[in-house]
Amino acid sequence: KGVPAVGRTGPDGTFSLRALQSGRPVTAGTAVGQYIVTVVKQEIPAMSDPEFVNNPPPVIPPAMLEPKDLLPAIYRNNAKSPLRAEVQEGKNQFRFELVE
């Protein structure tokens, strides 16, 4: 129930959300209510190596393009995430401490 939202973190960890409709971001923010928060942080190994990005080989090994999860699985699981947020009218700020 509720309105799902998605956002990206910046280099300093700050984020803003956009509500989703049919899986696409449509508006800034999300609906008032209580939410389970999931967090996913991934990197693609090939993209984290500047030398590889600047001088890619003719054939890229598939493993170099496979996203690597950088956070414990519990944070990306809707049923297990310990993170919660209550969105209220107006501007909201949340701080989530992620532990390994």
Side-chain angles (χ1 to χ4, degrees):
K1 296 180 182 181
V3 178
V6 65
R8 288 183 167 234
T9 57
D12 62 355
T14 60
F15 63 94
S16 58
L17 297 177
R18 293 192 62 161
L20 294 176
Q21 184 177 30
S22 301
R24 301 184 68 170
V26 291
T27 62
T30 193
V32 170
Q34 296 201 15
Y35 288 85
I36 297 170
V37 177
T38 57
V39 180
V40 176
K41 183 172 181 175
Q42 297 177 319
E43 75 175 2
I44 297 174
M47 298 297 121
S48 64
D49 180 349
E51 180 61 31
F52 193 93
V53 171
N54 294 329
N55 300 301
V59 177
I60 300 173
M64 293 293 291
L65 297 174
E66 191 69 30
K68 177 183 173 188
D69 290 310
L70 301 177
L71 294 174
I74 192 170
Y75 294 118
R76 66 180 171 272
N77 185 318
N78 237 10
K80 295 181 180 178
S81 177
L83 306 174
R84 302 288 187 270
E86 183 174 351
V87 175
Q88 299 179 358
E89 287 289 336
K91 189 171 182 166
N92 290 255
Q93 290 189 340
F94 300 100
R95 181 177 176 89
F96 300 105
E97 296 289 332
L98 308 180
V99 295
E100 300 209 21

